Amino acid sequence: MTKSELRQAFADQKPVIFSGPIGAQKHTGTYAKITAIIQRWDGSQVITQAEILDKQGNSVLIVRPEDLSRAP
């Protein structure tokens, strides 16, 4: 997702698909929604990340926006 798409998905509170690394393994799954957009300063640049909530509402992952897409 682009930053614009990320903001829209956050506002819509609809499910998203994460397809990216968790540790050393690739993971793909559907998550309930984006619960936060995080911007961190990394010395010379701002890094944007998304916090996504699992379907059970028990845990979150912090992921790169480019690893997200909207669920159908």
Side-chain angles (χ1 to χ4, degrees):
M1 287 186 169
T2 65
K3 289 180 185 178
S4 176
E5 292 169 331
L6 181 67
R7 284 191 296 271
Q8 187 60 53
F10 175 61
D12 293 344
Q13 294 290 282
K14 301 287 184 184
V16 293
I17 297 171
F18 168 70
S19 183
I22 296 181
Q25 297 185 357
K26 176 119 171 138
H27 173 75
T28 299
T30 303
Y31 287 76
K33 61 184 175 180
I34 298 170
T35 53
I37 297 173
I38 303 163
Q39 292 191 308
R40 301 181 192 277
W41 181 252
D42 186 29
S44 62
Q45 64 181 348
V46 174
I47 296 173
T48 301
Q49 298 172 310
E51 179 183 272
I52 55 176
L53 180 68
D54 73 354
K55 288 182 180 179
Q56 292 76 32
N58 294 325
S59 64
V60 296
L61 285 177
I62 307 296
V63 302
R64 301 177 318 163
E66 52 267 23
D67 293 335
L68 291 176
S69 60
R70 286 184 172 267

